[in-house]
Amino acid sequence: MAPIPGSGLAKGLAVTLRTMTKRSHTAQYPDVQPELPPRTRGVIGLFEENCTVCMLCARECPDWCIYIDSHKETVPPAAPGGRERSRNVLDRFAIDFALCMYCGICIEVCPFDALFWSPEFEYAETDIHELTHERDKLREWMWTVPEPPALDPRAEEPKEIAAARKVAEKAAAAAAAEGEQR
């Protein structure tokens, strides 16, 4: 059966008329904050205490927008007769958000959980050079990072927790047996 001439135009006009009769909803952004999903990718927060200056995040970044400077520091031996050790100390950690494409590779490759997504999105600047945020600003954003989602109650218990539970149960059983003998 051949289409009726002008049926496409009629369908388009019908959609337009239906849309015209509905009330529009405008979000008044500066006055009313938007409802964001719980794990929104806004900006990257730095938990500096976990950073070991391994440089994995900077090496894996496809945009090369992470800048890290450090120096080595000698740590005295932990026990008498031990040897001195050296460790890296973080001097500078900066991310240039003018270059960042928010891919999250840096967060995924960090083996020490030093980088996290924060839902903060209001960090616009008037000058593009001010979009390079140093570790102080990245640390401030760390406190806006939401808690991770709860574990699935139907998931299998991690083997580390199961092993720790067995040890605790054995110790409790031994303590109970010792208490009965007294």
Side-chain angles (χ1 to χ4, degrees):
M1 178 175 191
I4 301 172
S7 64
L9 178 64
K11 287 180 184 177
L13 287 173
V15 169
T16 303
L17 289 172
R18 271 196 312 266
T19 317
M20 285 175 54
T21 59
K22 292 182 181 176
R23 189 166 173 84
S24 65
H25 173 71
T26 304
Q28 303 296 327
Y29 165 63
D31 301 326
V32 179
Q33 292 294 320
E35 289 288 325
L36 299 173
R39 301 301 289 174
T40 300
R41 288 185 177 192
V43 73
I44 298 169
L46 171 68
F47 190 54
E48 193 175 333
E49 290 77 18
N50 285 358
C51 184
T52 61
V53 196
C54 66
M55 308 287 258
L56 276 174
C57 55
R59 280 195 302 253
E60 295 296 324
C61 179
D63 294 329
W64 292 85
C65 64
I66 299 175
Y67 309 109
I68 300 174
D69 291 330
S70 67
H71 69 276
K72 291 212 181 270
E73 203 172 75
T74 304
V75 180
R83 64 183 176 106
E84 292 182 338
R85 302 204 180 261
S86 66
R87 68 179 184 113
N88 288 327
V89 177
L90 185 66
D91 291 330
R92 179 181 187 223
F93 192 104
I95 299 176
D96 187 352
F97 287 104
L99 296 175
C100 183
M101 64 180 181
Y102 303 91
C103 63
I105 293 174
C106 56
I107 295 169
E108 295 297 321
V109 301
C110 181
F112 302 103
D113 289 334
L115 297 173
F116 295 90
W117 283 116
S118 168
E120 290 294 314
F121 62 93
E122 298 176 312
Y123 55 94
E125 300 289 344
T126 55
D127 185 12
I128 196 167
H129 299 294
E130 294 176 8
L131 280 172
T132 302
H133 294 291
E134 298 292 331
R135 69 182 184 180
D136 297 332
K137 186 68 174 175
L138 299 175
R139 189 181 316 118
E140 286 177 29
W141 284 324
M142 186 61 213
W143 308 120
T144 63
V145 172
E147 290 289 322
L151 297 176
D152 185 359
R154 297 168 298 183
E156 185 178 304
E157 185 178 47
K159 59 184 176 188
E160 296 87 356
I161 294 176
R165 180 174 282 113
K166 284 181 184 177
V167 170
E169 288 171 357
K170 285 182 182 178
E178 186 178 307
E180 289 177 3
Q181 290 177 357
R182 287 185 185 182

